[in-house]
Amino acid sequence: MTFDLTSYDQPEHVNCLTARDVAQHADLWVLANLANSRKVAAHLLQTATDLMTASQTLMNIFLLDGYDPSRETQTGLTEAQRLIVLTLASACAHNAALFVKEAHRRRIRRAAPGWDPITTPITA
């Protein structure tokens, strides 16, 4: 079975990052985009969401093993491919948790005293 993982070639996918790596990523993103704390937190949370989506997709591939019973020519994944998929899925989940932790660590000032975006959303 041919298997293409080239879309998972970013450091966030292939390596388990450290907390320092994620903090450096956030700092570089702030410098590149001249962003405030709210924007960097949104970027970190969006990256975490993307990583969890990738992890779920990879886990689904691992669980289904690429096998399609309606096609005789598709034999499924080799053991090496299964190991790569599982490693990528776990790296994505780990790194997503680090991005959420970094977003939580960066303080964001409230828009107004007592304002909460969940219980009192802005409707403008």
Side-chain angles (χ1 to χ4, degrees), residues 44-65:
L44 292 167
L45 293 174
Q46 182 61 53
T47 304
T49 302
D50 294 344
L51 285 168
M52 283 309 298
T53 301
S55 180
Q56 289 173 341
T57 302
L58 290 163
M59 283 306 298
N60 197 30
I61 291 170
F62 178 81
L63 292 172
L64 296 178
D65 196 11

Side-chain angles (χ1 to χ4, degrees), residues 84-99:
I84 291 169
V85 168
L86 188 59
T87 302
L88 278 174
S90 63
C92 287
H94 171 79
N95 291 338
L98 289 178
F99 274 85

Side-chain angles (χ1 to χ4, degrees), residues 62-102:
F62 178 81
L63 292 172
L64 296 178
D65 196 11
Y67 178 70
D68 184 357
S70 66
R71 299 182 63 184
E72 293 178 16
T73 58
Q74 197 169 3
T75 58
L77 303 175
T78 65
E79 284 304 311
Q81 288 172 328
R82 285 176 58 82
L83 181 62
I84 291 169
V85 168
L86 188 59
T87 302
L88 278 174
S90 63
C92 287
H94 171 79
N95 291 338
L98 289 178
F99 274 85
V100 169
K101 187 176 180 181
E102 181 65 19

Side-chain angles (χ1 to χ4, degrees), residues 15-33:
N15 299 320
C16 280
L17 302 175
T18 65
R20 173 180 257 166
D21 294 333
V22 177
Q24 287 176 344
H25 170 96
D27 292 339
L28 289 173
W29 191 86
V30 168
L31 288 174
N33 295 285

